[in-house]
Amino acid sequence: LDGVALALPALLRAEKIQKRAARVGFDWQETGPVIDKIEEELGELRAELAQGTVAQDRLVDELGDVLFAVANLARHCKVDPEAALRGTNDKFERRFRYIERRLAETGRGPADATLEEMEKLWQEAKREG
């Protein structure tokens, strides 16, 4: 894995590390095992969280494993993970602005609303596109 620049953004570096490992055969041929790995990593994260008091270093480690596995799935699907996340960020912002606008119509903000109210507005925003 020599030659993968340490200064790269973490998501891009994960993709490059995985590509380098894949070139020497350390890779799955199908997406099924990659998804299984994501589920395994999520299970380990859930187990850490279920303990109640979680050591921050363990939480960082387990969450990093989840992100690394998801980056691997993006690579297998030939999806640029940065572009995918950027698009989701934009979508989230658009929908949250909808929530803010709708609440402002009643003279309130998100801090004044319940989660249930905001979830209902979120669903409306999804239907509107």
Side-chain angles (χ1 to χ4, degrees):
L1 299 178
D2 293 335
V4 179
L6 291 171
L8 289 173
L11 196 52
L12 181 57
R13 187 161 190 267
E15 184 180 25
K16 288 190 178 294
I17 288 169
Q18 292 164 359
K19 282 180 181 176
R20 181 81 46 94
R23 282 198 298 257
V24 296
F26 192 70
D27 196 11
W28 288 292
Q29 299 305 309
E30 299 173 2
T31 57
V34 180
I35 293 170
D36 292 343
K37 184 64 171 175
I38 292 169
E39 290 172 348
E40 174 190 326
E41 297 299 350
L42 283 170
E44 291 175 10
L45 178 61
R46 279 193 181 107
E48 283 294 325
L49 292 169
Q51 293 182 21
T53 52
V54 181
Q56 190 66 20
D57 62 328
R58 292 292 312 141
L59 188 57
V60 167
D61 185 53
E62 294 301 343
L63 193 50
D65 290 348
V66 170
L67 292 169
F68 191 83
V70 170
N72 197 24
L73 179 60
R75 181 181 64 82
H76 273 268
C77 292
K78 295 180 179 25
V79 169
D80 176 352
E82 281 289 333
L85 185 55
R86 196 173 308 110
T88 295
N89 288 345
D90 292 344
K91 180 173 53 177
F92 182 92
E93 288 176 332
R94 196 172 49 253
R95 290 177 181 170
F96 196 77
R97 279 193 298 272
Y98 177 90
I99 291 171
E100 291 174 317
R101 259 192 329 276
R102 289 295 310 275
L103 288 170
E105 292 170 3
T106 65
R108 300 182 308 148
D112 305 314
T114 65
L115 179 58
E116 291 77 21
E117 289 175 291
M118 289 187 283
E119 178 60 29
K120 182 178 178 228
L121 292 170
W122 181 270
Q123 294 305 320
E124 284 179 21
K126 281 179 70 172
R127 284 190 296 274
E128 289 196 11

